[in-house]
Amino acid sequence: MKTTFNDVGLKLTETRKYAAGAYDSRHGKSTIDLTCPFCDADTTAYVWSLAGGGKRCANEDCGALFGSWGCAYKLKSMIHSGNEDDQGRAA
Ligand SMILES: [Zn+2]
């Protein structure tokens, strides 16, 4: 199940600020390194893709969506179901 901007509009998502690394235009393509605030995966995004439809987290199991304003979105249902296996027993 992937997060979409439609879900964001329906307020089904949790919003977290993501950390963006250095802007890189060495190869004539403007990319930026992002760290997913939900799963800590490193994702490289084209700046135009962020400004357009958003960028998907590189972690297939995460499915978070990066927007162009420093915010990432993920379905609340995905966050809670994903955490149960990893942290439920410890808590
Ligand atoms: Zn992620």
Side-chain angles (χ1 to χ4, degrees):
M1 209 167 161
K2 305 293 186 189
T3 306
T4 67
F5 280 119
N6 192 42
D7 299 319
V8 176
L10 292 171
K11 303 196 191 306
L12 297 174
T13 54
E14 182 172 318
T15 303
R16 295 187 192 177
K17 295 281 185 185
Y18 62 76
Y23 187 87
D24 183 357
S25 57
R26 276 176 296 179
H27 307 291
K29 296 170 182 169
S30 299
T31 61
I32 194 160
D33 292 326
L34 312 172
T35 302
C36 180
F38 297 100
C39 72
D40 283 337
D42 291 322
T43 300
T44 300
Y46 291 109
V47 174
W48 55 259
S49 73
L50 279 177
K55 172 66 182 177
R56 183 77 58 196
C57 177
N59 178 359
E60 285 275 325
D61 294 330
C62 173
L65 185 65
F66 299 97
S68 55
W69 308 279
C71 291
Y73 310 95
K74 185 169 175 174
L75 284 170
K76 289 174 184 172
S77 58
M78 288 288 289
I79 294 169
H80 297 304
S81 65
N83 282 347
E84 276 173 27
D85 286 341
D86 296 337
Q87 297 171 9
R89 266 159 290 197

